[in-house]
Amino acid sequence: MTPIATIFSIGLMFRDNKYHLVRLDFGENLRHTNYANTEHSVVIYGSHAHFNAPSGKYSPKNVVPIGNISEFKNIKKIRDALIEFIDYTNIKKK
């Protein structure tokens, strides 16, 4: 979980096929079901990360809780999330 009250996302997406390489969704009230519509389904609450996932809202995909990613577990400001995301994805600033 992250203590940021605002709901926001940061991500890298391939434009041609609208596929997310990585997308971080921040917000304490978020809810995502992993393994949807299977006997192994589990609900993930709060901030989470999508890796190699389709962009459609109803496309099945699994997420990782942000708290499981050490670089993002103590984020307190949107600015900090963006800076950590840039470092995490190895984006070079010009």
Side-chain angles (χ1 to χ4, degrees):
M1 297 288 239
T2 182
I4 299 173
T6 304
I7 296 172
F8 68 99
S9 296
I10 301 171
L12 288 176
M13 181 175 72
F14 295 103
R15 258 197 276 186
D16 291 344
N17 63 4
K18 301 206 182 322
Y19 210 80
H20 292 282
L21 181 59
V22 59
R23 186 180 89 209
L24 306 179
D25 293 336
F26 289 91
E28 292 202 16
N29 295 323
L30 298 178
R31 175 188 157 120
H32 186 96
T33 303
N34 280 356
Y35 308 104
N37 303 317
T38 73
E39 63 185 53
H40 304 291
S41 69
V42 61
V43 177
I44 306 297
Y45 294 97
S47 301
H48 56 266
H50 296 258
F51 294 97
N52 299 314
S55 63
K57 182 175 181 174
Y58 300 105
S59 299
K61 55 191 153 259
N62 293 325
V63 300
V64 176
I66 289 287
N68 291 2
I69 305 171
S70 61
E71 292 87 350
F72 298 99
K73 68 168 75 173
N74 294 315
I75 296 294
K76 299 205 180 346
K77 298 179 182 172
I78 293 173
R79 179 185 180 279
D80 295 340
L82 179 59
I83 290 169
E84 286 298 330
F85 181 80
I86 288 169
D87 289 342
Y88 184 78
T89 55
N90 200 29
I91 294 172
K92 301 296 181 202
K93 301 175 226 178
K94 290 186 177 184

